[in-house]
Amino acid sequence: MPFFFSRSSAFNLHAPRHGRPLWYNTLAVGVDSLVSSNPARGWVTASRRRALGGLLCLASSFLLANAFATPSSLWCFIAALALALIAALVRPHWAAHFLGAAFFAFGLGWYDLRINLPRQSPAWQALTTSPPALLTVEATVLESPEFIPRGREGLEPFRVREGHSRFTIQTRAALTDAGRVPLEANLWVRLSGQSPLALRAGDRIRLTGGFRPLATPRNPGDLDPRHYAAQLGFLGTLNISSPGVVISDPTPAPFLSRAQSVYLATKDTIAARARAVLINAAGPSEQSRALLLGLILGDFDPSQQSVRNLFARQGLAHVLSISGLHLTVMAGVLLVLLRLTGDRGWVEPALVALLVLGYLAIVPPNSPVVRSAAMILALLIAEAAGRRYDRLTILLWIGVGLLLWRPLDAFSIGFQLSLGLTACLFWVGSRAMVHLFRRPIRGVLREPPGMLARLKDHARLALTCGLLCWSVSLPATIYALGYISPWSLLATLLATPLFVAMLWVGYIGLWAGLLWPALASLGAGLITLLSAAAIGLVRLLDAFPLATIYLPPLSGAWAIGSTMCALLAWRWARPRRAWWWCVVLLPLAWAGGAWTWDRDQSVLRITTFDVGDGSCHLITSGGESILWDSGAIGGGRLMDPTVRACRAAGAWRVPLAIITHPDIDHFGAILDAAGPLGIRRVLVPPRFLTQARTEPNGAAGVAARALEARAIKLSPITSGDELTLGGCKIQFLSPPADADWPADNEHSLIAMIHAPTSRGTVRTLMTGDAQDLALETLPKGLAPDILELPHHGSARPKAISVVGSLHPRLVLQSTGPRRLNDPRWGPVRRATTWMCTAERGAITTRVDPSGAIITQGYLDPLPTTLSWLTTPTGAN
């Protein structure tokens, strides 16, 4: 028997238990008791300890390798082998420690082999360090092109010009001036517009496009996509101009390449057939179609992003990504159908395994579905073997295998919750049931339970699982998402039966439709009814008071410690003991201390985010913050990037926002950021309100209506008005209330921020997109120390003249690459310290109590300090 299999009592999937049917036993697997009083309990504990030790050693080695430079994989593997040999020679007590160290060293080498080495190949280095303007490659299409329409919700139609088609390719070679160069990598391909692409998965093609390597993190809180791309073998994106640049590859294909093409084409055909069947089964409703495709195929319609966000806020995001729930329901449907023909013994788990493998062939190969499939397949194999096994031990070793497959899943909240919550149910599920409800007396003969008793058992089981998972996952959710959903437990309990019913109807419709397409539409009415009920229920709960509570940022150490406290509180529940309450209240005390400890003593801090050709500044003083413009950083899944950047910059609550003028590059993220940042009031120039009234379908009109619908007040502000921000005063200089200038940019808000220090006042001039007429009306003798370059650095003669005459010590330029290092600004640039987001990423500027100005770009290794007596010394 392998050492990771224990001798604990098995869970019988083939026979009813206590008069309950098979499907009840399947759902109750998570809370069935694992720790019994049999003689093999010591073996169970030892096997769990080994599995847990291996998982922790591997995960910690990945964390270390990701944070610091580690030795090469060869030396790590040699060290791992040497430590393993030592473990074989020493006493058993020491052998465990040496084996753990060997596993740790192996993890360091494996991370280097899987993540670092692919990025060090000559082709990778050549394409990422000096990317060519155009790249021609020979490749195989991995996924058929998919058209992504322009978003229709909120400000998305104004931020994105047009829809696009996208697909992925696996390259074989790059065609360069030096000839054909082997290149084994994956690329994303993008074609703007609605031009059709006559391609399908498996096609061998040759195409030319503009190559764009993966971007480096440029803002606080940005995720680094390069490591994840290296794990998946992706180099970057190829932007093609038209379908005409894609031609068939004329070179003869070897046998393995032809086999791969046949496999990809067959898989794509089955997936397309399944998608067509589900669209037919969902009926005419777009929401039903999107929800059913998300539930069954994990293919959610991007145009229904608001529904996805709604589910995420109420803790139901896992429903729209294929997970253990979906595969369990699918397996349950098959088992029920099989049981109608009698008890089939080992055939049942074998057929379920084949069904899971076939299902993997038609759904996107993302992490959640693979994790769930691996867990189910491993447990099915253990069950079919007829041996006694320990589910928790097997689960931990499955986690080791998954981390070896994708090392960066160690940083994924999806992996952490999927594996962690399942292990939690195995470990403390039965005890949680006992703590919440009375333990049944054993040895008493009872009649088979009736319908009412079964419903009561289901309710107890659902409440126990839901409450246990909610409380244990709460710290990780707060750390990763920054909010809690008090009604998420109720949403899960009420909505899960609706989703399970949709899955039953959807799976039966899918299988029937694959055999006979006309049968798929028979359940369309029921699916429409169930999806409408599910979405309506979640919307109702989302409208409840305190449906989503946003919290200040907390550290990863707090999340780990609080999770351990929750596990201990459930495992050894002693509400009558003082120590138990200490364990329960410790996370609250820790969080309160972290929130009240103010680390920043700056008089003024301005964080200029890198939003390309747009503007977004976070201005903080005395613990208060305002969002000065809100140009969009980009798209995000778990959290809007603008919100994540503000939280990383130290501001989780921003009740006031300012929009300088009605151009979308200055307020594209306002609707996404308003809720998470707690924005309650928005100050705008009169031109913004005028344009919102005269052009109700324009960007300003849409934004104004959406903000007012959320009870966010829009107030006009003009020259002469003043605000107080912490210890600073903000004085607005333009536009005048009666301004009648033709261009929107001329109506941009201009303000001076006065920051008092021990040596005098440090002045910051915010100019937005002000142009000639607005700049001419500025008062004389402003003398700002810090200046935001007007209109992102557009080199207009009037702007150059005005900025040069003001002699600022520091200039902040928020722009994209096209305005970087414009020679027309040369004389002004050489006379001051110049910080540009296109060159340095996000720029953080602080004014300390002594009057010194400290500025640093996100990509800069060290800050630049301008003391009170500093004179301009030239460009940095």
Side-chain angles (χ1 to χ4, degrees), residues 802-818:
V802 170
V803 174
S805 66
L806 293 176
H807 304 294
R809 291 196 286 159
L810 174 65
V811 170
L812 304 177
Q813 182 185 9
S814 176
T815 186
R818 65 190 181 100

Side-chain angles (χ1 to χ4, degrees), residues 22-44:
L22 165 73
W23 57 271
Y24 178 86
N25 291 339
T26 304
L27 291 176
V29 67
V31 294
D32 186 66
S33 176
L34 289 177
V35 181
S36 60
S37 57
N38 58 51
R41 180 173 179 177
W43 289 95
V44 173

Side-chain angles (χ1 to χ4, degrees), residues 183-201:
L183 176 63
E184 295 183 1
N186 297 333
L187 290 173
W188 292 286
V189 183
R190 177 188 174 106
L191 170 63
S192 297
Q194 301 186 14
S195 302
L197 280 166
L199 294 176
R200 57 175 296 185

Side-chain angles (χ1 to χ4, degrees), residues 424-691:
C424 173
L425 290 172
F426 285 170
W427 187 49
V428 298
S430 59
R431 294 203 178 196
M433 180 77 84
V434 172
H435 296 327
L436 294 176
F437 306 100
R438 292 183 300 174
R439 184 193 299 270
I441 301 176
R442 297 180 179 180
V444 178
L445 296 177
R446 294 185 177 88
E447 293 293 331
M451 180 62 67
L452 184 61
R454 292 180 181 180
L455 291 177
K456 186 184 296 185
D457 286 344
H458 298 335
R460 289 177 176 177
L461 178 63
L463 181 60
T464 301
C465 292
L467 189 58
L468 177 60
C469 291
W470 181 82
S471 58
V472 173
S473 65
L474 189 60
T477 303
I478 294 174
Y479 170 72
L481 304 181
Y483 63 81
I484 60 175
S485 303
W487 303 109
S488 61
L489 176 59
L490 181 61
T492 301
L493 294 177
L494 296 180
T496 297
L498 298 174
F499 294 134
V500 170
M502 280 193 69
L503 287 171
W504 271 74
V505 179
Y507 284 130
I508 293 175
L510 174 62
W511 298 338
L514 288 175
L515 298 176
W516 190 3
L519 296 176
S521 60
L522 296 179
L526 181 57
I527 289 176
T528 301
L529 178 64
L530 290 172
S531 63
I535 295 175
L537 173 64
V538 180
R539 288 191 191 279
L540 176 64
L541 294 175
D542 191 59
F544 279 12
L546 303 177
T548 305
I549 302 175
Y550 294 94
L551 300 173
L554 287 164
S555 65
W558 176 88
I560 295 173
S562 299
T563 302
M564 296 303 299
C565 288
L567 288 172
L568 293 176
W570 278 106
R571 179 70 176 177
W572 291 283
R574 301 291 188 273
R576 298 182 181 180
R577 303 291 181 87
W579 66 264
W580 187 84
W581 285 103
C582 291
V583 171
V584 171
L585 297 177
L586 177 60
L588 298 178
W590 189 346
W595 291 337
T596 56
W597 179 28
D598 185 13
R599 301 175 177 84
D600 189 6
Q601 302 299 323
S602 302
V603 176
L604 174 68
R605 186 178 74 244
I606 302 174
T607 305
T608 303
F609 299 121
D610 183 4
V611 295
D613 290 321
S615 293
C616 184
H617 310 270
L618 179 68
I619 305 175
T620 303
S621 177
E624 300 178 5
S625 299
I626 62 173
L627 191 63
W628 186 284
D629 280 333
S630 49
I633 293 178
R637 294 188 61 186
L638 294 179
M639 185 184 296
D640 180 77
T642 304
V643 177
R644 186 170 58 238
C646 289
R647 292 175 63 87
W652 70 280
R653 202 73 176 166
V654 187
L656 177 64
I658 294 175
I659 298 176
T660 56
H661 65 291
D663 278 1
I664 189 64
D665 59 320
H666 288 252
F667 64 93
I670 188 66
L671 299 184
D672 298 324
L677 294 180
I679 296 174
R680 306 310 307 157
R681 186 183 178 205
V682 179
L683 302 180
V684 298
R687 181 62 166 249
F688 189 95
L689 297 177
T690 301
Q691 194 171 109

Side-chain angles (χ1 to χ4, degrees), residues 287-310:
Q287 285 192 346
S288 298
R289 186 184 310 130
L291 191 56
L292 188 62
L293 289 175
L295 284 171
I296 304 296
L297 297 181
D299 182 14
F300 197 80
D301 187 354
S303 66
Q304 300 292 325
Q305 185 62 35
S306 61
V307 176
R308 178 184 286 273
N309 295 338
L310 175 71

